[in-house]
Amino acid sequence: MDMLKYQLFPRSVGITEEIQHVIECFEQTYEQIKSPENAFKSNEVLDVLRPHLEGIGFTVETGKAKGQKIPVPVLFGLNNSVDKFFNADGISRDGKIVLEIEAGRATVNFAFLKDIFQASMMHGVEFLVLAVRNNYRGKDDFQQVYIFLETLYISSRLVLPLKGIILIGY
């Protein structure tokens, strides 16, 4: 299936206008980033998306060096100093939507689980946009993460502090 795919979890919640704008960024760049035709690393996918995301008010990581990453607070210390933070690939202007893009590590190294955990710990974050490849080495990462998230939300044994996770397959 050669198309951009997306699903909001829990499936009982509709997509907000802000989330729709993020999805549109992926729709506008899909031909450039789609898998398996494009074997981009996650940073290369982010480079393609950056102008579109910045156009809707996102701050986007520009590299892996200090000052290029986007630290999102997790724990606060004395005088409101940040004691712990996690880095994000992108974050909305209001800090409520965090973006993580995975390429090869999404399911192979379970990076999507780390992304879910970190977004759940980030101060003020309400939504995680998690983008994974539709096809990585012949496997459908989108479908594998979809099944995991479907199980997580249907079982209701683990309740996340997020309003939702938007899974995007590119």
Side-chain angles (χ1 to χ4, degrees):
M1 182 190 282
D2 182 19
M3 63 183 238
L4 183 78
K5 298 184 274 189
Y6 60 89
Q7 179 65 58
L8 171 62
F9 293 93
R11 293 193 305 137
S12 59
V13 176
I15 289 176
T16 66
E17 185 177 341
E18 295 82 7
I19 298 299
Q20 184 60 45
H21 291 313
V22 176
I23 292 167
E24 288 166 1
C25 292
F26 280 86
E27 289 173 338
Q28 293 164 1
T29 59
Y30 179 67
E31 288 301 316
Q32 296 169 267
I33 64 173
K34 70 180 177 178
S35 59
E37 293 84 351
N38 301 294
F40 289 151
K41 295 177 181 169
S42 59
N43 286 345
E44 295 169 320
V45 173
L46 197 56
D47 287 342
V48 173
L49 284 161
R50 180 176 294 104
H52 301 275
L53 291 166
E54 288 174 345
I56 62 168
F58 268 67
T59 302
V60 181
E61 176 184 279
T62 58
K64 293 299 181 189
K66 188 173 181 176
Q68 296 178 314
K69 296 181 180 187
I70 302 167
V72 182
V74 173
L75 295 175
F76 297 88
L78 188 62
N79 297 335
N80 204 37
S81 62
V82 175
D83 273 354
K84 176 70 181 164
F85 64 87
F86 291 129
N87 291 315
D89 289 339
I91 192 161
S92 60
R93 183 178 291 122
D94 63 6
K96 293 181 179 182
I97 305 169
V98 70
L99 169 70
E100 289 295 336
I101 297 177
E102 296 298 342
R105 303 179 326 119
T107 59
V108 173
N109 289 344
F110 297 98
F112 77 95
L113 289 174
K114 177 178 161 275
D115 295 336
I116 293 169
F117 171 78
Q118 288 184 346
S120 295
M121 298 298 109
M122 292 174 176
H123 177 70
V125 170
E126 297 179 358
F127 290 95
L128 166 63
V129 177
L130 177 59
V132 301
R133 291 171 57 96
N134 284 328
N135 183 317
Y136 179 66
R137 297 183 179 168
K139 297 204 185 310
D140 188 341
D141 280 1
F142 176 87
Q143 189 60 34
Q144 287 183 12
V145 177
Y146 184 104
I147 291 168
F148 181 92
L149 291 173
E150 183 80 334
T151 303
L152 174 73
Y153 280 97
I154 288 175
S155 76
S156 71
R157 291 183 47 92
L158 177 64
V159 178
L160 300 176
L162 301 170
K163 287 185 179 177
I165 298 174
I166 302 83
L167 177 63
I168 297 180
Y170 66 90

